[in-house]
Amino acid sequence: MRLHRALFYILLTIFVAGMLMAIFVDPSKVMSRIATGLITGSFVGLISTIVNYSYAWQTYFRNLYNSIFEFYEDLGNELIHAKVEVSYIESFSKQYLIDSAKPFTEDDAKKLHENQHKFDKYRIKLDDAPYAPLFFSKDTVSVLDELYNFTHSNVFMIFSYSSLKDSFVCLQEGHFMDEEEERIAIGNKDDFFDYIVQNMYNWRDYTAHCQRRLVDILVAIQQSLKPFNVGKGYDEIPKMLSDLVAMDLKDIPNRNPMDEKTLDVE
C-alpha cells in the first residue's frame, strides 16, 4: 500500500508538471509534445496506481476484519476458561480449594508459557504498519493506533490475572520451609486467598472487557472508513459482533479491573 501511494504522488507530480508545460509552452515547440506525452503517460499510470491501491486497501481491511473476528473468538474461548474457574471457586469451600490444589509441574510450566504467548500472533495480524492512506485519514490512523496499543499491551493483562489460578497450593501446610519464607512469599494467608479469588473474577471480567473493547474498535474503524466499504459481507461483521457482545456478555459485569484499586498482598 505504501509503494502504491508513493507511486501515485510521483505520477501526480509528473502529471501536474506536464499540465503546466502544456499551458505555458508554445504549442509549436518540441517541449509541448513532450508535455503531452507526460500528461498521457502519467494519467494512465495514475489510473493503474489507484486501481492497485484500491485492491491493496481492500485486501488489508478484509484481512483486518477477519483477524479481529478470529481474535474475538479466541477471547471467547479464554472467557469460557475463566468462567469455569469462577464457577469452580464459587462451588466449593475455601478449605476444599486449598486442600485439592495440586503442586506445580513441568507440564504446568509449559502450559503457562503457552498461555503467556497465546495472543502474540495478533500483534502481527493486526499490525497497522502496512496501512498508508492515499490522502488524509486521521480518524482511521488514530483508531488503528488504538488497536495496535490494545494488542501490544492491554491484552497481556489477561495472562497476569489468569496466572494465579493454580496458587491455592501455596496455602497448604508445609508448602514453605518456614514461616519467614511464607511471610515473604504470600504475606497473610487470608489476604492471599482473597487475592487469588479476586483475580479469578478479574480474569473473567477483564477478558469480557477486552471483547467489548475489541468490538468497539472495529465499529470505530468501520465508521472512519465511510463512505468507502470493505466489501460485501465484511460490513456486517461489526454489527454481528456487537450483537454477540450484547448477547454473550450480558451476565458479566461491564468493568475494567485495571481501572480499579486491586487488593494488595502484604
Side-chain angles (χ1 to χ4, degrees):
M1 202 181 299
R2 293 183 179 278
L3 176 62
H4 298 311
R5 184 181 67 174
L7 185 58
F8 173 83
Y9 284 122
I10 292 172
L11 290 171
L12 183 61
T13 301
I14 295 173
F15 179 80
V16 172
M19 289 292 293
L20 292 174
M21 289 174 62
I23 293 171
F24 294 106
V25 174
D26 189 335
S28 63
K29 300 293 184 180
V30 175
M31 288 301 295
S32 178
R33 292 194 291 274
I34 294 176
T36 302
L38 289 176
I39 293 172
T40 303
S42 59
F43 181 76
V44 173
L46 281 171
I47 298 300
S48 176
T49 301
I50 291 174
V51 171
N52 291 331
Y53 176 87
S54 298
Y55 175 77
W57 182 93
Q58 192 174 59
T59 300
Y60 171 78
F61 281 106
R62 284 184 174 184
N63 290 336
L64 189 77
Y65 275 42
N66 287 332
S67 296
I68 289 177
F69 185 83
E70 181 186 348
F71 195 4
Y72 180 88
E73 289 186 322
D74 280 354
L75 286 172
N77 292 331
E78 181 76 13
L79 181 60
I80 291 174
H81 294 310
K83 290 170 69 174
V84 168
E85 289 295 332
V86 169
S87 177
Y88 179 75
I89 62 175
E90 289 179 341
S91 301
F92 298 99
S93 66
K94 174 180 178 179
Q95 196 57 50
Y96 177 83
L97 293 174
I98 295 173
D99 293 341
S100 61
K102 298 179 181 179
F104 200 69
T105 64
E106 185 176 341
D107 288 339
D108 292 329
K110 292 180 180 178
K111 188 177 296 185
L112 188 67
H113 178 76
E114 292 173 359
N115 288 338
Q116 184 177 0
H117 299 284
K118 67 165 58 176
F119 298 121
D120 285 359
K121 61 183 178 181
Y122 294 108
R123 296 182 180 182
I124 299 174
K125 288 187 173 185
L126 301 178
D127 187 13
D128 62 343
Y131 176 69
L134 196 57
F135 298 105
F136 298 105
S137 184
K138 291 183 179 179
D139 290 342
T140 303
V141 171
S142 177
V143 180
L144 290 177
D145 284 343
E146 184 180 353
L147 180 62
Y148 176 88
N149 293 331
F150 174 72
T151 56
H152 281 71
S153 56
N154 300 86
V155 176
F156 180 78
M157 283 304 300
I158 293 176
F159 168 76
S160 297
Y161 288 130
S162 67
S163 60
L164 282 172
K165 62 185 176 65
D166 298 316
S167 299
F168 288 119
V169 69
C170 296
L171 298 170
Q172 293 176 352
E173 293 296 331
H175 181 79
F176 296 101
M177 294 180 61
D178 51 45
E179 292 184 0
E180 180 64 18
E181 182 184 12
E182 179 182 296
R183 185 189 65 79
I184 295 174
I186 66 172
N188 181 274
K189 283 187 174 183
D190 291 332
D191 288 345
F192 188 71
F193 178 85
D194 293 339
Y195 179 71
I196 298 172
V197 171
Q198 183 58 51
N199 268 273
M200 296 303 97
Y201 286 104
N202 289 345
W203 177 21
R204 180 199 64 185
D205 295 349
Y206 188 73
T207 303
H209 164 77
C210 285
Q211 284 190 287
R212 292 186 179 103
R213 187 177 174 195
L214 182 63
V215 173
D216 288 343
I217 291 174
L218 178 58
V219 171
I221 290 174
Q222 185 183 44
Q223 292 294 327
S224 73
L225 295 178
K226 289 182 176 181
F228 302 104
N229 297 320
V230 176
K232 185 177 180 181
Y234 288 89
D235 290 332
E236 298 299 319
I237 293 179
K239 183 180 184 306
M240 179 181 65
L241 290 184
S242 296
D243 292 341
L244 284 175
V245 162
M247 180 176 61
D248 295 344
L249 308 183
K250 62 182 179 180
D251 296 326
I252 298 179
N254 189 357
R255 58 182 285 263
N256 179 5
M258 290 183 64
D259 293 338
E260 303 169 4
K261 184 177 180 181
T262 57
L263 179 62
D264 295 324
V265 180
E266 298 179 353

